[in-house]
Amino acid sequence: YGLVGSEMCIRDRFKTIPQDTATVVDILKRAGVDTVFETVPGNHYQHGEQRLGKALAFLAANATTQG
């Protein structure tokens, strides 16, 4: 069995996600944006509450008041 057409596109585009994300993080850091990138092993739908809590804690700790 083999993949053809759109099946190949779907399969292959997911291979670049970690690389593309790392590139975006690098761009943001070079622009002075405080950025944290963590991978989630396995299913990205797992541990949603824990990941959201970490994100909110990061935002609260790094919040600045703009006038």
Side-chain angles (χ1 to χ4, degrees):
Y1 294 93
L3 299 177
V4 294
S6 64
E7 293 170 336
M8 290 176 67
C9 293
I10 292 168
R11 178 204 64 196
D12 293 342
R13 75 174 169 212
F14 288 112
K15 292 180 180 180
T16 66
I17 290 173
Q19 178 183 351
D20 293 344
T21 303
T23 300
V24 170
V25 168
D26 184 53
I27 291 167
L28 292 171
K29 286 183 176 182
R30 283 187 279 137
V33 177
D34 192 10
T35 305
V36 175
F37 172 64
E38 295 180 1
T39 59
V40 178
N43 186 334
H44 69 276
Y45 292 108
Q46 293 175 331
H47 315 293
E49 294 85 7
Q50 178 184 354
R51 291 189 349 264
L52 178 59
K54 286 177 75 172
L56 293 173
F58 175 84
L59 290 173
N62 294 286
T64 59
T65 305
Q66 296 181 6

